[in-house]
Amino acid sequence: MKLASIDNKTRDGQLVVVNKELTRAVKVPEIAETMQTAIDNWVETESKLQSVYEDLNTNKLSNTFDFSSVRVLAPIPRAYHWADGSAYVTHVELVRKARNAELPESFWTDPLMYMGASDAFIGANDDIEIENEDWGIDFESEVAVITDDVPAGINSKDALNHIKLITIINDVSLRNLIPNELSKQFGFYQSKPWTTFAPVVVTPDELDGSWNDGKLHLPLNSTLNGRLIGSPNAGIDMTFDFGQLVAHASKTRSLMAGTVIGSGTVANQGSPNGSSCLAEVRCLEIVNNGKATTPFMSFGDRIEVEMKDKSGKSVFGKINQVVKEYKK
């Protein structure tokens, strides 16, 4: 099934069930008012939401509305926990190669992960508001999952059973702020503004076999100002699957229902189908030509991120954003 949250003038939005074509939706307050409530009580709500989804797709419901006519929020507009990994080590390897830095051998066996800001996520059509273009504005196209309650110390195989919802995100980075932050050896903060989510999240069974072994085997398309930057397959060259990422995040503590785990920038070895961020484009230019020539994003730029299934239909809907100057 497919779920979303729409604007109802509250912080957490109104949970809706969306049809397969992403054209019609229905509110389900009798089941759950919000996405967090639904995932908190997933054992009770899943089958009820699934029943509504089936009726919606067979036109048995009369109280539906045009999904394109409403403002979509992030499917989970704020979460108790958001952790982003770097599951595509080939991407990290390229970035380090561009600055003549050696990749530690442990990167291939122990995932990189940081905790991000989850007090607010933004919707697929919301502007990316940044104060200064000189901060190096970059998109990062990723896959993300949402879990139910995960016990501490779980193994990666069992962790897969706790992944209930899947989507794609744009995890914006301010590249020129990153070096100073990392030099303090205390992680990201100012360099990671709010993260953007696709319009809908879907259950694994909605992916028709493209979800396999904790990986989503479909191309992820990133288009900047009408030009395709890349469409790497998210299932290829993913060093750590989502079971491993969830297990890593829960090594020393439990994860609460509604925890969001990101894959990190989707990348394929050698970038044969392009890239999922401008930093990778620039690293390839440095490696191949000695210097980067592609600029980071500017005010007025439009970034679109979308994943289509094997028949060419949008799975999660499109992220479609414009970079705007933040006005104080």
Side-chain angles (χ1 to χ4, degrees):
M1 61 181 158
K2 300 190 176 190
L3 304 173
S5 294
I6 62 172
D7 188 10
N8 66 347
K9 308 306 178 185
T10 68
R11 290 182 186 269
D12 297 302
Q14 172 76 59
L15 175 68
V16 298
V17 179
V18 185
N19 69 352
K20 186 177 288 288
E21 289 76 26
L22 305 177
T23 56
R24 306 294 299 175
V26 61
K27 299 176 183 179
V28 285
E30 70 283 1
I31 300 175
E33 286 280 356
T34 68
M35 187 72 73
Q36 185 63 54
T37 300
I39 200 73
D40 277 341
N41 303 283
W42 196 248
V43 172
E44 293 80 27
T45 60
E46 181 183 15
S47 60
K48 295 176 182 179
L49 292 169
Q50 182 65 43
S51 180
V52 171
Y53 182 66
E54 292 169 1
D55 288 345
L56 178 61
N57 282 300
T58 52
N59 300 313
K60 293 180 180 178
L61 303 177
S62 59
N63 55 335
T64 66
F65 58 89
D66 178 6
F67 187 54
S68 66
S69 69
V70 295
R71 177 178 174 240
V72 293
L73 306 178
I76 186 162
R78 54 180 177 169
Y80 294 112
H81 192 167
W82 151 233
D84 198 21
S86 191
Y88 300 87
V89 178
T90 181
H91 168 74
V92 182
E93 185 178 42
L94 173 62
V95 171
R96 294 179 77 90
K97 182 179 180 180
R99 63 171 192 260
N100 294 313
E102 187 176 343
L103 184 76
E105 194 61 32
S106 63
F107 279 33
W108 293 102
T109 57
D110 191 32
L112 295 171
M113 186 171 284
Y114 76 92
M115 186 182 294
S118 61
D119 53 332
F121 296 131
I122 59 178
N125 302 307
D126 292 343
D127 293 334
I128 301 170
E129 296 187 323
I130 304 296
E131 186 176 339
N132 192 331
E133 285 182 327
D134 293 337
W135 289 346
I137 308 164
D138 198 1
F139 66 90
E140 286 191 57
S141 303
E142 305 184 13
V143 179
V145 301
I146 300 176
T147 74
D148 62 2
D149 291 309
V150 181
I154 196 169
N155 63 60
S156 59
K157 181 179 178 181
D158 290 339
L160 287 173
N161 297 324
H162 291 276
I163 295 171
K164 302 305 177 183
L165 300 166
I166 303 166
T167 192
I168 57 173
I169 62 174
N170 176 15
D171 185 41
V172 175
S173 288
L174 303 177
R175 299 293 186 186
N176 294 337
L177 298 186
I178 289 176
N180 183 56
E181 287 204 294
L182 292 188
S183 70
K184 300 175 182 178
Q185 299 184 356
F186 212 61
F188 298 121
Y189 194 85
Q190 294 173 336
S191 52
K192 301 300 291 187
W194 285 336
T195 300
T196 307
F197 279 62
V200 306
V201 289
V202 311
T203 49
D205 60 348
E206 186 69 23
L207 294 166
D208 296 327
S210 295
W211 174 256
N212 253 318
D213 301 320
K215 300 178 183 181
L216 184 48
H217 295 267
L218 289 171
L220 183 56
N221 305 311
S222 303
T223 304
L224 180 62
N225 296 327
R227 182 171 69 90
L228 182 66
I229 301 299
S231 55
N233 190 299
I236 298 175
D237 298 319
M238 189 180 190
T239 309
F240 305 104
D241 65 53
F242 274 106
Q244 292 172 295
L245 294 178
V246 172
H248 180 82
S250 61
K251 179 177 180 177
T252 61
R253 60 178 175 180
S254 302
L255 304 180
M256 298 298 101
T259 293
V260 183
I261 304 288
S263 67
T265 307
V266 173
N268 293 157
Q269 180 70 43
S271 307
N273 296 307
S275 303
S276 295
C277 67
L278 294 176
E280 183 171 298
V281 173
R282 289 167 58 87
C283 286
L284 286 166
E285 291 171 344
I286 292 171
V287 170
N288 295 326
N289 306 314
K291 66 176 182 178
T293 55
T294 296
F296 289 118
M297 293 195 293
S298 301
F299 298 144
D301 283 352
R302 181 179 298 275
I303 178 63
E304 299 167 82
V305 183
E306 188 173 25
M307 180 174 277
K308 296 183 178 181
D309 62 21
K310 295 173 184 177
S311 65
K313 294 180 180 178
S314 185
V315 180
F316 308 101
K318 181 187 291 187
I319 294 173
N320 186 357
Q321 301 179 279
V322 174
V323 182
K324 294 286 183 69
E325 183 177 6
Y326 174 70
K327 301 293 186 180
K328 294 180 182 179

